């Protein structure tokens, strides 16, 4: 069965919002604040309309329609995946019990916190990317940026619905705060560090959508397992939209690497700085930064809070139903990253055993790392097919960490522990320098003509929804 959005409502939805007038009025009173936030903190490039997909149902036969839409008139809505009436809790101490349609009182604060943290990341991404339209390398890329933006806005709506519908006055207050915090603000920053970083150029955007949105995929995947069924169904649908964001990152870096290879071959040189392409060492530095910052989003290697979430049934593991264990983990163990003290008192990078419950952050991070390797493999295939000997790689898990066991040390991308003074002297070899950033930004000249593209990036192999690359994806104001 396909649940179709109700477009007769002010807020399109498939949750029968019209049946709860109090909730409907509350959300409709939040809606103008959201629109004001979008106009103030959303995309700055003026447009007439954009070729966007809009959710119309959550069924398998297609859940989006494509068409040119004026972005301020985009129909942000509330969509939950179909309810499975026979679904039971898949893990923890409630394993096998029916899932919850309401919030259990004993887990109210924890569930609200999980929803607020997830919700806070959604508008943060829009704020980080708000100025990128002015330097888009093509109308195709501009359209993809705006698609990511409106879907992050819809994901905010998804979390706000849960806060309003299930958490009373406190939930409504938290929903307001989601619009008051701003990415990078000194007074009221976003909750997670990666969402206060700048996204000043399109190489950063592609790395963000590859690495940081991929973290989002795994966080949503754990919440999709939740015994709180409305949260599970919300995240299941969000994952469909999140896939596009990661595609933008994956193919974006593909195309940057492809163009660099082409320029290297055309000019028979490894040094393409000044030739209109991004040098491979600079691409590696951007990769190092965004990957390491994204690793921090998984938290510490061990966490009693996450263990408690799992035991309570609030937050599961990635692909919980495919795990071959008892889904309770009370007697299981895991090796986690740690610093070990040597006989001479020095700290070294190593492993230590921990309870599997306490080590769930490590389990999720390792799933993520294995996934990230797939992109690096793609990009290295482009280098190999282009006859280029250099290769890209993920840095060691201890590199440039600000959260967890390795926050107290400095390490090279190869995982060698080094003194702080050496880090200060050499970090420019591994992370983007001001010179690197200035060069990349110098390439960010807008190309807003139909069918044209900037010289630093290759065109895509395919357009959107069967349209060609030179389709009129965006009509500028």
């Amino acid at each position: 069965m396909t649940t179709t959005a109700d477009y007769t409502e002010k807020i399109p939805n498939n949750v029968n919002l019209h049946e709860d007038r109090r909730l409907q009025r509350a959300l409709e009173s939040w809606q103008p604040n959201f629109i004001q936030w979008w106009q103030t903190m959303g995309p700055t490039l003026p447009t007439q309309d954009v070729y966007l997909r809009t959710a119309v149902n959550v069924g398998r036969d297609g859940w989006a329609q494509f068409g040119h839409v004026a972005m301020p008139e985009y129909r942000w809505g509330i969509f939950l995946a179909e309810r499975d009436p026979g679904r039971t809790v898949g893990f923890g101490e409630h394993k096998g019990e029916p899932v919850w349609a309401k919030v259990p009182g004993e887990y109210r604060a924890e569930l609200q916190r999980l929803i607020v943290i997830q919700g806070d990341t959604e508008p943060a991404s829009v704020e980080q990317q708000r100025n990128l339209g002015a330097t888009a390398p093509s109308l195709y890329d501009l359209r993809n940026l705006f698609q990511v933006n409106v879907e992050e806005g819809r994901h905010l709506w998804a979390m706000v619905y849960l806060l309003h519908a299930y958490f009373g006055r406190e939930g409504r207050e938290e929903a307001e705060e989601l619009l008051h915090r701003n990415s990078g603000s000194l007074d009221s920053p976003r909750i997670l560090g990666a969402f206060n970083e700048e996204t000043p150029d399109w190489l950063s955007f592609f790395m963000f959508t590859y690495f940081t949105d991929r973290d989002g995929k795994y966080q949503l995947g754990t919440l999709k397992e939740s015994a709180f069924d409305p949260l599970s169904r919300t995240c299941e649908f969000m994952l469909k939209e999140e896939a596009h964001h990661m595609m933008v990152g994956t193919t974006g870096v593909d195309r940057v690497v492809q163009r660099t290879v082409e320029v290297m071959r055309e000019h028979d040189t490894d040094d393409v700085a000044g030739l209109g392409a991004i040098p491979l060492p600079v691409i590696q530095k951007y990769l190092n930064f965004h990957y390491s910052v994204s690793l921090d989003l998984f938290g510490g290697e061990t966490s009693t809070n996450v263990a408690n979430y799992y035991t309570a049934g609030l937050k599961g593991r990635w692909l919980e139903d495919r795990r071959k264990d008892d889904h309770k983990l009370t007697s299981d163990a895991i090796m986690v990253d740690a610093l070990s003290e040597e006989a001479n008192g020095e700290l070294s990078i190593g492993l230590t055993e921990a309870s599997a419950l306490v080590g769930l952050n490590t389990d999720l991070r390792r799933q993520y790392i294995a996934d990230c390797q797939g992109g690096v493999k793609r990009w290295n295939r482009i280098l190999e097919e282009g006859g280029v000997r250099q290769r890209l790689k993920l840095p060691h898990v201890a590199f440039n960490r600000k959260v967890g066991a390795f926050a107290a040390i400095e390490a090279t991308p190869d995982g060698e522990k080094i003194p702080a003074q050496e880090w200060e002297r050499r970090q420019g070899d591994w992370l983007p320098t001001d010179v690197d950033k200035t060069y990349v930004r110098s390439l960010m000249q807008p190309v807003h003509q139909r069918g044209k593209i900037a010289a630093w990036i290759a065109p895509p192999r395919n357009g959107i929804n069967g349209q060609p690359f030179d389709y009129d994806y965006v009509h500028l104001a």
Side-chain angles (χ1 to χ4, degrees):
M1 176 183 174
T2 295
T3 302
T4 302
D6 185 349
Y7 272 85
T8 65
E9 294 286 333
K10 187 175 181 181
I11 301 171
N13 69 92
N14 70 345
V15 294
N16 298 321
L17 193 57
H18 65 279
E19 295 180 0
D20 188 338
R21 291 299 181 184
R22 183 177 179 181
L23 175 59
Q24 184 179 40
R25 286 194 299 270
L27 288 168
E28 287 178 354
S29 70
W30 186 84
Q31 190 173 38
N33 297 334
F34 169 82
I35 297 298
Q36 182 180 15
W37 166 81
W38 177 269
Q39 292 171 341
T40 304
M41 300 301 298
T44 58
L45 185 70
T47 57
Q48 294 182 37
D49 54 44
V50 182
Y51 186 69
L52 298 172
R53 69 178 185 187
T54 304
V56 294
N57 67 61
V58 296
R60 294 185 177 182
D61 296 332
W63 51 270
Q65 66 179 11
F66 286 83
H68 283 89
V69 179
M71 278 203 295
E73 300 171 11
Y74 186 81
R75 302 304 305 279
W76 287 283
I78 299 162
F79 305 101
L80 277 65
E82 298 282 3
R83 179 175 175 271
D84 176 0
R87 181 173 177 250
T88 60
V89 182
F91 59 95
E93 64 184 8
H94 300 290
K95 184 177 184 298
E97 298 176 13
V99 292
W100 317 322
K102 299 291 184 182
V103 177
E106 63 269 34
Y107 303 137
R108 183 182 183 85
E110 291 85 353
L111 273 170
Q112 180 175 299
R113 182 62 177 167
L114 288 171
I115 291 167
V116 167
I117 291 173
Q118 182 62 47
D120 194 71
T121 68
E122 312 298 352
S125 297
V126 178
E127 293 164 353
Q128 290 173 297
Q129 299 158 12
R130 64 190 305 260
N131 295 312
L132 286 176
T135 57
S138 72
L139 291 181
Y140 164 88
D141 290 293
L142 185 59
R143 177 266 167 206
N144 282 343
L145 168 70
F146 291 152
Q147 184 69 58
V148 169
N149 291 163
V150 295
E151 288 180 351
E152 300 290 18
R154 203 207 64 74
H155 294 175
L156 171 60
W157 268 98
M159 295 295 108
V160 165
Y161 163 73
L162 295 176
L163 290 171
H164 273 267
Y166 296 98
F167 294 92
R169 179 178 57 82
E170 289 182 358
R172 294 191 296 273
E173 290 174 354
E174 290 285 8
E176 290 296 331
E177 286 300 311
L178 290 172
L179 298 178
H180 294 156
R181 288 187 290 270
N182 295 135
S183 177
S185 168
L186 295 177
D187 299 323
S188 188
R190 291 298 174 183
I191 296 171
L192 301 178
F195 292 90
N196 289 302
E197 299 285 350
E198 284 188 303
T199 308
D201 57 69
W202 280 77
L203 181 57
S204 297
F205 173 65
F206 292 138
M207 292 293 180
F208 182 97
T209 47
Y210 185 81
F211 288 111
T212 307
D213 279 327
R214 194 167 303 276
D215 161 79
K217 163 187 169 181
Y218 281 87
Q219 301 299 342
L220 290 173
T222 63
L223 294 174
K224 183 179 79 70
E225 304 292 339
S226 179
F228 179 40
D229 205 40
L231 175 59
S232 170
R233 293 164 56 208
T234 297
C235 292
E236 183 176 349
F237 184 65
M238 287 170 68
L239 280 164
K240 291 189 177 189
E241 294 174 320
E242 200 73 24
H244 172 264
H245 308 180
M246 290 182 290
M247 182 280 291
V248 169
T250 304
T251 59
V253 179
D254 281 358
R255 294 158 54 215
V256 174
V257 172
Q258 180 65 49
R259 183 58 187 148
T260 296
V261 168
E262 292 169 359
V263 173
M264 290 172 69
R265 295 183 67 180
E266 288 169 12
H267 296 271
D268 193 23
T269 179
D270 291 348
D271 185 9
V272 298
L275 296 175
I278 301 177
L280 288 177
V282 173
I283 295 174
Q284 180 69 63
K285 290 181 186 181
Y286 274 68
L287 184 161
N288 289 348
F289 174 76
H290 286 274
Y291 174 68
S292 58
V293 167
S294 299
L295 288 180
D296 280 348
L297 291 171
F298 291 87
E301 283 68 26
T302 59
S303 170
T304 54
N305 280 342
V306 174
N308 292 337
Y309 293 157
Y310 185 87
T311 299
L314 309 184
K315 184 178 180 181
R317 290 174 293 178
W318 177 253
L319 300 179
E320 181 71 46
D321 60 351
R322 299 186 187 180
R323 305 299 184 113
K324 305 299 183 183
D325 52 41
D326 67 0
H327 302 276
K328 294 188 177 181
L329 309 181
T330 52
S331 59
D332 294 350
I334 185 175
M335 299 301 292
V336 301
D337 296 309
L339 291 177
S340 303
E341 187 172 348
E342 302 291 339
N344 60 5
E346 289 287 319
L347 295 175
S348 63
I349 296 170
L351 296 170
T352 191
E353 186 175 83
S355 158
L357 276 172
V358 173
L360 284 170
N361 279 350
T362 292
D363 176 87
L364 189 61
R365 184 184 286 113
R366 287 174 181 163
Q367 300 285 329
Y368 168 83
I369 290 170
D371 196 358
C372 287
Q373 290 284 5
V376 176
K377 185 176 180 180
R378 284 176 62 114
W379 305 330
N380 284 336
R381 189 181 304 120
I382 294 171
L383 295 173
E384 181 179 7
E385 291 173 353
V388 173
R389 66 182 184 281
Q390 294 97 319
R391 295 293 183 266
L392 298 169
K393 66 178 183 177
L394 297 178
H396 191 275
V397 70
F399 172 77
N400 192 40
R401 296 294 302 282
K402 302 296 186 289
V403 174
F406 302 130
I409 65 163
E410 304 294 355
T412 70
D414 292 328
E416 176 191 355
K417 181 176 168 291
I418 58 174
Q421 302 93 315
E422 185 176 355
W423 169 264
E424 290 299 324
R425 180 170 54 85
R426 299 179 62 191
Q427 65 174 309
D429 296 337
W430 307 316
L431 294 172
T433 64
D434 289 342
V435 171
D436 297 327
K437 295 174 185 177
T438 299
Y439 175 69
V440 171
R441 291 185 197 185
S442 75
L443 300 178
M444 301 293 118
Q445 302 302 315
V447 179
H448 292 159
Q449 295 78 38
R450 183 172 171 178
K452 303 295 184 182
I453 193 166
W456 58 269
I457 186 171
R461 294 186 177 182
N462 302 297
I464 299 297
N465 191 38
Q467 304 295 347
F469 168 66
D470 62 358
Y471 184 68
D472 59 338
Y473 289 106
V474 180
H475 296 131
L476 297 174

